[in-house]
Amino acid sequence: MNNTETTEITAKNPKVKNRREWVKNVIIIFLIIMVILTFFSNTIMNWSLAEVSVVSMSRDSVSKKYQLDIMVEANKNYTLTADESRDIKRVAVKKGQEVKEGQVLFYLKEVKDSEEAKALQEQIDTENLAYEKSLMKVADDYFDLNAAIIQARETLDQKIQQKNQSYSTDAPVDNSLRIADLTARKSMMESDIESLASQTYSALSSDMYRAIENELNAFNNAKTESINAQADLSQIKSQYQGGSIDSDITAGQRNVDRLETELSRLIQDNSSEREIEDKHTEIKYAKEDLNNLISLRDKINTASFAASEKDNALTSAQSALDLKAQQTKSSLQTQLTSVTNELNSLSSDSSGMSQEMPGSSGIDYDSEISQARLALNTATHALEAKIKEDKVLNAQTALEIEAQKKKIDKLQADLDEMLTKEKSTEIISPVEGVVSEISVTAGVTVAQSDQLMVINISDDGFTAKADISMEQSKSVKKGTEANVITPGFEDTSVKVRSVVKGKEDPTKLTVTFSVDGINMSEGQNLKLEIGESSQSYDMVLPKNAVKKDTSGSFVYSVKSKSTPLGNRYIVKKVNVTVIAEDDKQCAVNGEFGDSADYVITASSKPFSAGDQVRLAEG
């Protein structure tokens, strides 16, 4: 069958034509796939392989040095404590500062300015106030009792008058009632004269008390004001415990002038800023003390003037009261003479008889007069009993006041002893060293034995400790020097004092260093470098390239193999011996042969010896 016939058959039969087209398309697709697999087979295969990071072995130097962080400790500390209770005025040093023996560490407040002295002075002021109030106790008041006596006397006089009026005019007069009345009046006058003489004004009868009441009230008011003024003056004076305040002010001004001169010299001599600053602070405190003294002196002068004015007013009131009392006493003595004469006359003329005239009312005047006289006697006895009772109470009060005064004297003696005892206003360093801790600040009050400061004694030096591994200890022994790489401390000398087995971790060793350097203080952190010097080796690798298992150390090497489809990388396990190492790399020996193009340091997923891997890009 020729082509013409085939063409005719195909034209007549379309199915045959379609089958041939389909076979042709399948063949074309197959050929395309084969071409793709041929050219991209390496890439597709690499997608399933472990990606590894590799390095090449090289000749390099390996140092057996390693770094350590240490904290410096003092071989010996001196703890400074307070010898007694004092107030801190200013701290003269700072933490980390080097101090010399005899150097001032703290400035203290004067004893008179201390909290203890102030508390004692406040207690004395409180006791003085209570004592003065006891002295200012209101005088005993007999007004009500005197009023009762006057009322009883007036009632008796009325009853006697009523009886006399009921008598006949021709009847003989009974002088006994008049004699009784004059006797009572005489007794009262004598009592008033005695009270005026002894200045016991509260025992006066109501008439006599009213006679001097204005002058007495003026005197009592002046006395109260004078006592208050003296108390104010005493309270202000108690704030100053020195000798002469004017002398102290003069000395304070001279001290300020001297300090300002010293400051000028420091500035001229270009002294350190710290010395100039300290001098400024010292001048500031000196001026504050001087101003406080001047202010206190002004207050004392003002209070003294006020107290003097009140004393003058009290003297005037006392004179006025004495004059009035003398005048009243003289008047009473004149009246007493008249009453006494009349009483004597009546007593001699009286027959002791009186004819009672019965009144139309039938009133028993004698009975009423007897009752009135009894009431008068009762009131008089009540006054006398009250006066005696008050005398006893006043005696008890006097004893209490005396005890209170003794207590005040004892407190004042304690304060005087505290203030007169010479005490330093500075705390100085008993040792030479570096301040490692300051336990108090300015303004606080410290009690006896309170901790003030901790000083590292320089003469005994400093130490430090660090833990190292067994491998690191191979390059460390007693006397080995370490290099300090902390900036600012490069000149510090650090040597190994001892190497002992660790107490907490037996797998490690504890190294003790001796540390010696300028301005070294306890708590200083240092970074050291210690170990043997560096040495060159032929095969040096990063430390993370060396692995370990039960058989020892090994590495995974990579050998390149060329194929028609590109390079293939096969993993091989090589046993090695680490002959030197530092913090980052190590030198090894091993049977690498010609199979070690690269050494694996990291992998994207696990692999084993003999596996094919792909190298990480870059």
Side-chain angles (χ1 to χ4, degrees):
M1 183 179 295
N2 53 32
N3 290 336
T4 302
E5 293 177 347
T6 302
T7 302
E8 291 177 354
I9 294 172
T10 301
K12 292 179 179 180
N13 191 353
K15 291 182 180 180
V16 175
K17 179 179 181 181
N18 291 337
R19 188 183 306 113
R20 290 178 178 175
E21 290 293 331
W22 180 82
V23 172
K24 182 178 68 175
N25 291 338
V26 169
I27 293 172
I28 293 172
I29 291 171
F30 175 76
L31 292 175
I32 292 173
I33 291 174
M34 291 300 294
V35 171
I36 292 173
L37 290 176
T38 299
F39 286 100
F40 295 99
S41 61
N42 191 37
T43 301
I44 294 173
M45 182 181 64
N46 284 342
W47 288 348
S48 63
L49 299 178
E51 183 180 41
V52 296
S53 298
V54 296
V55 295
S56 298
M57 286 187 296
S58 61
R59 181 176 178 81
D60 202 349
S61 296
V62 176
S63 172
K64 291 187 178 182
K65 291 185 178 181
Y66 50 90
Q67 294 181 355
L68 292 175
D69 292 319
I70 61 171
M71 178 181 289
V72 176
E73 300 176 354
N75 280 342
K76 185 177 181 181
N77 293 331
Y78 180 85
T79 301
L80 182 67
T81 59
D83 294 333
E84 58 185 345
S85 177
R86 295 296 295 270
D87 294 334
I88 303 298
K89 184 175 183 179
R90 183 164 64 92
V91 182
V93 295
K94 297 180 180 179
K95 182 179 180 181
Q97 180 178 338
E98 184 175 355
V99 296
K100 302 293 184 181
E101 182 177 353
Q103 182 175 342
V104 177
L105 303 179
F106 297 95
Y107 290 100
L108 305 176
K109 291 184 179 179
E110 297 284 349
V111 176
K112 64 181 181 180
D113 298 328
S114 68
E115 294 299 327
E116 186 177 1
K118 290 180 180 178
L120 188 55
Q121 184 61 59
E122 288 178 1
Q123 186 179 0
I124 293 174
D125 294 341
T126 302
E127 295 294 339
N128 271 326
L129 179 60
Y131 174 71
E132 291 163 2
K133 286 182 177 179
S134 299
L135 295 177
M136 294 169 58
K137 180 183 176 183
V138 178
D140 298 326
D141 187 6
Y142 303 112
F143 179 80
D144 292 340
L145 294 176
N146 284 322
I149 293 175
I150 294 172
Q151 181 65 35
R153 184 183 296 114
E154 291 176 352
T155 301
L156 177 61
D157 290 343
Q158 290 175 1
K159 295 302 180 182
I160 293 174
Q161 186 179 4
Q162 289 174 3
K163 180 179 180 180
N164 290 336
Q165 289 176 353
S166 67
Y167 290 158
S168 169
T169 55
D170 295 333
V173 178
D174 185 3
N175 291 329
S176 62
L177 297 177
R178 179 61 177 168
I179 292 173
D181 178 55
L182 291 174
T183 301
R185 289 177 61 189
K186 178 184 177 183
S187 176
M188 181 62 68
M189 288 179 183
E190 290 174 344
S191 175
D192 285 344
I193 290 173
E194 182 181 355
S195 297
L196 288 170
S198 62
Q199 296 185 349
T200 313
Y201 302 123
S202 59
L204 290 171
S205 64
S206 58
D207 290 339
M208 293 302 99
Y209 188 85
R210 282 194 291 269
I212 65 169
E213 185 175 10
N214 292 335
E215 289 77 3
L216 182 59
N217 289 339
F219 170 75
N220 287 333
N221 291 335
K223 183 178 180 180
T224 300
E225 291 177 356
S226 176
I227 291 175
N228 290 339
Q230 289 293 340
D232 292 341
L233 177 59
S234 298
Q235 193 276 330
I236 295 174
K237 284 185 175 180
S238 66
Q239 298 178 23
Y240 175 73
Q241 303 297 335
S244 170
I245 191 169
D246 291 328
S247 298
D248 287 349
I249 289 175
T250 301
Q253 184 60 59
R254 291 174 179 172
N255 184 44
V256 171
D257 295 340
R258 177 181 60 81
L259 293 175
E260 289 179 341
T261 301
E262 293 177 357
L263 176 61
S264 299
R265 291 174 179 173
L266 289 175
I267 296 175
Q268 293 174 0
D269 295 342
N270 294 323
S271 300
S272 66
E273 293 183 2
R274 182 177 183 80
E275 290 180 318
I276 295 175
E277 181 183 353
D278 288 345
K279 190 60 65 177
H280 273 297
T281 303
E282 195 172 353
I283 292 174
K284 174 186 174 183
Y285 287 128
K287 287 184 176 180
E288 287 180 359
D289 293 340
L290 176 61
N291 292 334
N292 289 337
L293 282 176
I294 294 174
S295 175
L296 182 59
R297 182 186 62 182
D298 294 342
K299 290 180 181 179
I300 291 176
N301 291 338
T302 301
S304 297
F305 179 78
S308 177
E309 290 292 315
K310 296 301 180 182
D311 285 343
N312 293 336
L314 176 61
T315 302
S316 299
Q318 179 72 62
S319 299
L321 177 60
D322 292 343
L323 178 61
K324 186 65 176 178
Q326 183 61 39
Q327 292 173 349
T328 304
K329 179 182 175 183
S330 298
S331 176
L332 277 174
Q333 286 174 338
T334 301
Q335 295 178 36
L336 178 62
T337 301
S338 176
V339 169
T340 302
N341 291 336
E342 183 181 357
L343 183 59
N344 292 335
S345 176
L346 289 175
S347 298
S348 61
D349 294 342
S350 177
S351 62
M353 298 175 59
S354 81
Q355 185 68 34
E356 181 179 350
M357 298 295 293
S360 59
S361 61
I363 299 175
D364 187 356
Y365 289 108
D366 290 338
S367 176
E368 291 183 352
I369 290 173
S370 297
Q371 292 178 1
R373 184 173 286 111
L374 177 61
L376 177 59
N377 292 335
T378 301
T380 302
H381 290 320
L383 176 60
E384 293 173 352
K386 177 63 176 173
I387 292 175
K388 290 181 180 179
E389 179 184 357
D390 287 343
K391 287 182 178 179
V392 175
L393 293 177
N394 289 337
Q396 294 175 348
T397 302
L399 291 176
E400 294 175 355
I401 291 175
E402 184 180 359
Q404 200 168 15
K405 184 67 170 65
K406 290 181 178 178
K407 182 179 180 181
I408 293 173
D409 292 342
K410 176 64 170 58
L411 292 173
Q412 187 64 50
D414 293 341
L415 179 60
D416 292 341
E417 182 182 0
M418 179 187 299
L419 297 177
T420 54
K421 183 179 179 182
E422 186 176 354
K423 295 184 178 181
S424 174
T425 57
E426 298 175 344
I427 296 179
I428 61 176
S429 177
V431 296
E432 180 176 344
V434 178
V435 178
S436 65
E437 181 181 347
I438 300 176
S439 306
V440 296
T441 57
V444 304
T445 300
V446 296
Q448 185 177 5
S449 300
D450 281 357
Q451 177 175 308
L452 303 177
M453 181 179 292
V454 177
I455 301 174
N456 304 143
I457 301 178
S458 303
D459 292 342
D460 289 341
F462 298 90
T463 61
K465 293 183 179 181
D467 292 333
I468 61 175
S469 65
M470 294 293 184
E471 182 66 28
Q472 292 172 332
S473 67
K474 294 178 181 179
S475 58
V476 175
K477 60 182 180 180
K478 183 176 180 180
T480 301
E481 292 191 10
N483 295 325
V484 180
I485 58 178
T486 301
F489 293 90
E490 292 84 354
D491 295 334
T492 301
S493 173
V494 179
K495 293 183 179 180
V496 176
R497 177 182 292 181
S498 64
V499 181
V500 297
K501 190 173 183 180
K503 295 181 179 180
E504 297 181 359
D505 188 354
T507 62
K508 292 187 176 182
L509 298 176
T510 299
V511 182
T512 300
F513 299 93
S514 60
V515 182
D516 185 18
I518 301 176
N519 294 328
M520 187 56 59
S521 61
E522 187 174 36
Q524 177 66 50
N525 292 314
L526 299 177
K527 184 177 285 295
L528 309 179
E529 188 177 64
I530 191 170
E532 298 177 359
S533 58
S534 60
Q535 186 174 347
S536 296
Y537 296 92
D538 291 333
M539 291 185 287
V540 178
L541 295 171
K543 293 187 71 172
N544 61 348
V546 180
K547 317 296 180 184
K548 287 185 178 182
D549 59 11
T550 56
S551 60
S553 300
F554 65 91
V555 298
Y556 285 112
S557 65
V558 176
K559 177 64 176 176
S560 175
K561 182 179 180 181
S562 178
T563 67
L565 296 179
N567 292 331
R568 298 287 185 264
Y569 299 97
I570 308 300
V571 177
K572 181 181 179 182
K573 181 179 179 181
V574 179
N575 293 324
V576 296
T577 300
V578 177
I579 57 176
E581 64 178 320
D582 55 23
D583 292 339
K584 297 180 179 180
Q585 56 188 7
C586 58
V588 298
N589 278 333
E591 297 296 331
F592 289 94
D594 58 355
S595 63
D597 293 333
Y598 304 102
V599 174
I600 298 175
T601 58
S603 172
S604 63
K605 60 182 179 179
F607 61 87
S608 300
D611 289 349
Q612 183 177 336
V613 295
R614 58 189 176 94
L615 303 184
E617 296 182 2

